[in-house]
């Protein structure tokens, strides 16, 4: 399968979990993969995908530090010459009732989930404009559509990820050949969610139309679609991937 053959795909927050799986799925479709995180875990992912480093690059950068973000994309262009797909996956969650949520914690979530996305988009758009083409995929969440108790600040950030394409960016950069879309996954079985008791995961899946559990590969397949030419008539949308928990 070569849906993304020779395309340069940058995946933020790809040292583990969903981002790691997205990177693996895109690599399997022929992409050149840039793993990106601030902790160093993404290097092991890149090395495992391609020990020779021919089709992979690891960049260690904090997505909320503008200078580091700019430098990261400079490294990508220096090695691969372009950026075809940016997957804004880096984000955090903090589960607390609003009366226990400090301003510092709220600002941390918004900084990583929103400011980081903004800085990455800001840095990559000039590169994509110069190329005459590019695709941006923002990872949001089902909870950003439906709401969930105890994660209000997280969902504010994820809602911003979902609304950013619809607000202005897709229309602004569309004439330059740049597509901007979002993916809103439902509950996905990852390293993190597997730590919760089974009854908690079952509660999150209440009302699901199909029996299949959501897997990271399901999100990876959606990224492949939105990053490929097969989605060249789609921009400014949020793609729901939730097994029918939410049907509209």
């Amino acid at each position: 399968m070569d849906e993304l053959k020779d395309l340069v795909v940058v995946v933020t927050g790809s040292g583990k979990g969903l981002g790691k799986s997205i990177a693996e799925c895109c690599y399997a479709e022929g992409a050149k993969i840039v793993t990106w995180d601030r902790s160093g875990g993404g290097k092991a992912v890149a090395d495992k995908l391609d020990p020779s480093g021919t089709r992979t690059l690891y960049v260690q950068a904090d997505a909320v530090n503008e200078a580091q973000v700019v430098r990261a994309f400079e490294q990508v262009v220096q090695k691969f010459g372009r950026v075809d797909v940016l997957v804004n996956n880096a984000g955090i969650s903090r589960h607390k009732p609003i009366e226990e949520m400090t301003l510092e914690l709220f600002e941390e979530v918004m900084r990583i989930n929103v400011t980081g996305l903004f800085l990455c988009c800001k840095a990559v758009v000039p590169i994509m404009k110069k190329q005459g083409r590019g695709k941006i995929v923002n990872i949001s969440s089902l909870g950003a559509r439906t709401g969930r108790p105890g994660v209000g600040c997280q969902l504010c950030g994820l809602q911003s990820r979902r609304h950013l394409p619809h607000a202005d960016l897709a229309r602004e950069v569309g004439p330059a050949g740049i597509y901007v879309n979002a993916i809103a996954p439902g509950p996905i079985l990852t390293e993190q969610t597997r730590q919760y008791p089974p009854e908690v995961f079952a509660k999150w899946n209440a009302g699901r139309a199909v029996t299949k559990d959501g897997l990271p590969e399901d999100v990876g397949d959606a990224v492949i679609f939105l990053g490929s030419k097969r989605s060249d008539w789609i921009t400014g949308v949020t793609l729901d991937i939730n097994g029918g928990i939410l049907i509209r």
Side-chain angles (χ1 to χ4, degrees):
M1 301 292 287
D2 292 316
E3 292 283 348
L4 302 177
K5 184 173 176 58
D6 293 330
L7 297 185
V8 179
V9 179
V10 177
V11 186
T12 67
S14 46
K16 61 182 179 179
L18 192 56
K20 175 176 178 287
S21 181
I22 290 171
E24 292 169 343
C25 289
C26 292
Y27 183 84
E29 290 293 336
K32 298 173 182 177
I33 295 296
V34 179
T35 59
W36 170 330
D37 66 9
R38 61 180 181 176
S39 65
K43 185 178 187 306
V45 177
D47 289 345
K48 184 176 180 180
L49 287 175
D50 181 9
S52 72
T54 303
R55 285 176 50 204
T56 59
L57 172 69
Y58 169 65
V59 294
Q60 186 170 12
D62 188 342
V64 302
N65 183 308
E66 187 167 13
Q68 291 185 26
V69 170
V70 170
R71 176 56 185 152
F73 282 109
E74 288 175 348
Q75 290 178 258
V76 177
V77 173
Q78 183 176 8
K79 176 162 185 175
F80 293 125
R82 59 189 298 114
V83 179
D84 296 292
V85 182
L86 166 64
V87 183
N88 281 309
N89 170 75
I92 61 172
S93 62
R94 296 290 185 264
H95 294 234
K96 281 184 178 295
I98 190 168
E99 63 267 26
E100 297 177 15
M101 180 67 62
T102 64
L103 177 59
E104 291 74 20
L105 194 56
F106 176 84
E107 289 178 338
E108 178 192 18
V109 171
M110 296 298 288
R111 186 170 63 252
I112 295 174
N113 290 1
V114 181
T115 304
L117 179 147
F118 161 73
L119 290 176
C120 287
C121 288
K122 180 184 177 183
V124 82
V125 162
I127 299 169
M128 292 180 171
K129 281 185 175 181
K130 186 176 180 180
Q131 299 165 181
R133 180 179 175 85
K135 298 206 170 185
I136 298 172
V137 181
N138 299 326
I139 305 300
S140 180
S141 167
L142 169 64
R145 286 191 177 279
T146 62
R148 200 166 79 225
V151 290
C153 69
Q154 174 197 356
L155 298 183
C156 284
L158 293 175
Q159 283 173 343
S160 297
R161 286 171 176 251
R162 178 169 66 87
H163 288 303
L164 179 60
H166 298 82
D168 290 306
L169 190 56
R171 292 192 180 278
E172 177 183 334
V173 301
I178 303 172
Y179 301 74
V180 188
N181 293 293
I183 294 173
I188 302 293
L189 281 172
T190 64
E191 300 157 7
Q192 180 181 6
T193 58
R194 288 179 189 275
Q195 297 176 11
Y196 290 94
E199 59 270 21
V200 173
F201 193 75
K203 183 178 180 180
W204 292 344
N205 280 276
R208 194 173 68 190
V210 299
T211 58
K212 175 189 177 302
D213 284 331
L215 302 175
E217 293 80 8
D218 296 317
V219 181
D221 287 342
V223 170
I224 290 166
F225 170 67
L226 289 176
S228 74
K229 290 184 177 180
R230 293 183 183 272
S231 61
D232 276 4
W233 194 230
I234 300 172
T235 194
V237 306
T238 297
L239 180 59
D240 289 307
I241 305 176
N242 55 59
I245 297 174
L246 175 67
I247 297 178
R248 293 187 176 185

